[in-house]
Amino acid sequence: MSPPQSPSRQPYRGRFAPSPTGPLHFGSLVAAVGSYLDARANKGTWLVRMEDLDRPRTVVGAADTILRTLEALGMAWDGEIVYQSTRDEAYRAALDQLKKTKDLVYPCACSRREIADSAVTGIDGPVYPGTCRKGLLAGRAARAERVLTRGIKIEFTDTIQGKVAHNLERQIGDFVLKRADGPYAYQLAVVVDDAAQGITDIVRGADLLDSTPRQIYLQQLLALKTPRYAHLPVAVNVIGEKLSKQTLAPPVDGTSPAIVLNAALAFLGQDVAEDCAADDTASFWKYAIAHWDPARVPRARAIHAPSE
Ligand code: GLU
């Protein structure tokens, strides 16, 4: 998240990248509002990318429902929507580049169960024990492709959450770039797409903070620029679960936009637009953009959603 730009700075390009697994809920709305406000306050571009890479989880019609809700909330995106389901060629090219020029990718035959049985738990699930690093055991067929993390340490400063440092080998392990069930992994796709779309600033939920060092590592391997990162607190329910379709978060009601938008604004530590009629999105955004102060966003990974 950035202070207003000096003229010499590269023009701001931000994005909102929902997974169309259901309608927009308060949690995803917060990411949309935070990224939109930061882009507009910096006179930047705001793109929308549909992360429909995981086809079984993608719900038919959900992408359109999300877009109609953004429209109802007065959030106008720039340019064409990019759908990850159309981008396999670009992901394949990046994976090939890593295989050819760096020899850092290897096939892995391990099942989830085998990994869980032999791994230590890291910051994002089991740390891959490295079973297939030296080649597949006789008679085993490759299921996934992993990238080597030997000796890799990544450190970065998040504009909201502060310094994050990971020892990738010890805390994450060699991670998957192409999954056993076929699709390219989120970590690879997001890096390829952010670079292709020229994203300079990533504002998203702090549930992805622990993914960021993996993404920075891939950017380095692929000789891509690392954007600035700002991870917003994630909205959780009373028992601390992230709002999602699985936790039955209700869809955002676009019929009284300023009410739901003010709730997101308050969640992000901003003053609400008090004198704004419920359906007056133009006045809401004028106020919210003019008063956006990234320094007031709470430095927390998770906060209870307002109705919880
Ligand atoms: N598609 C991811 C999600 O909905 C967000 C990815 C990102 O912003 O990098 O959680």
Side-chain angles (χ1 to χ4, degrees):
M1 212 163 283
S2 312
Q5 291 183 8
S6 67
S8 62
R9 215 174 102 160
Q10 204 187 351
Y12 184 116
R13 284 172 74 83
R15 60 25 165 219
F16 172 51
S19 303
T21 54
L24 208 64
H25 51 73
F26 186 76
S28 38
L29 175 72
V30 166
V33 168
S35 61
Y36 183 78
L37 281 173
D38 203 50
R40 295 299 183 231
N42 282 285
K43 307 216 175 335
T45 300
W46 187 67
L47 304 171
V48 174
R49 181 171 73 231
M50 286 294 165
E51 302 213 318
D52 54 354
L53 200 59
D54 191 343
R55 283 169 204 148
R57 282 186 62 224
T58 298
V59 172
V60 178
D64 283 342
T65 307
I66 292 171
L67 295 175
R68 297 299 80 79
T69 306
L70 293 177
E71 281 171 346
L73 299 175
M75 301 174 77
W77 57 89
D78 298 305
E80 297 286 311
I81 310 280
V82 167
Y83 290 83
Q84 287 192 326
S85 53
T86 66
R87 305 254 315 135
D88 271 8
E89 269 317 305
Y91 308 144
R92 187 186 336 261
L95 192 60
D96 284 348
Q97 187 183 336
L98 291 177
K99 282 184 190 166
K100 280 195 204 120
T101 57
K102 305 269 184 186
D103 211 12
L104 282 167
V105 177
Y106 64 89
C108 170
C110 300
S111 66
R112 246 176 228 269
R113 164 55 65 83
E114 286 167 328
I115 296 169
D117 284 350
S118 62
V120 290
T121 303
I123 34 185
D124 193 16
V127 176
Y128 181 63
T131 321
C132 298
R133 267 188 180 179
K134 294 200 194 86
L136 298 179
L137 297 174
R140 298 293 305 263
R143 295 165 49 85
E145 309 225 42
R146 291 184 184 272
V147 64
L148 267 181
T149 54
R150 192 172 278 139
I152 301 297
K153 293 181 183 147
I154 301 282
E155 196 177 288
F156 76 102
T157 301
D158 184 83
T159 318
I160 298 170
Q161 307 292 340
K163 204 171 189 176
V164 178
H166 283 186
N167 179 324
L168 281 191
E169 180 172 31
R170 290 224 321 261
Q171 295 177 292
I172 300 285
D174 296 350
F175 55 96
V176 169
L177 297 184
K178 192 165 189 301
R179 288 170 21 185
D181 55 346
Y184 293 90
Y186 157 71
Q187 307 293 355
L188 179 68
V190 77
V191 162
V192 170
D193 287 341
D194 284 332
Q197 295 187 284
I199 301 300
T200 60
D201 290 76
I202 294 182
V203 180
R204 62 183 178 189
D207 51 322
L208 294 163
L209 191 62
D210 286 336
S211 285
T212 306
R214 271 169 276 182
Q215 293 171 18
I216 293 175
Y217 176 47
L218 293 179
Q219 288 154 6
Q220 292 174 353
L221 293 180
L222 292 162
L224 302 171
K225 280 191 187 155
T226 291
R228 278 176 292 271
Y229 286 96
H231 285 86
L232 308 167
V234 164
V236 293
N237 64 18
V238 266
I239 54 167
E241 296 167 327
K242 182 187 149 186
L243 299 194
S244 70
K245 202 174 94 170
Q246 287 72 32
T247 58
L248 307 177
V252 166
D253 175 8
T255 54
S256 303
I259 293 177
V260 65
L261 289 169
N262 262 332
L265 208 54
F267 184 89
L268 289 170
Q270 313 295 304
D271 290 335
V272 299
E274 268 167 7
D275 304 325
C276 189
D279 60 351
D280 187 358
T281 54
S283 302
F284 172 84
W285 287 115
K286 197 164 173 232
Y287 173 90
I289 293 165
H291 292 86
W292 172 240
D293 182 0
R296 292 179 65 174
V297 176
R299 186 178 177 169
R301 285 206 188 199
I303 298 183
H304 285 142
S307 57
E308 298 291 336

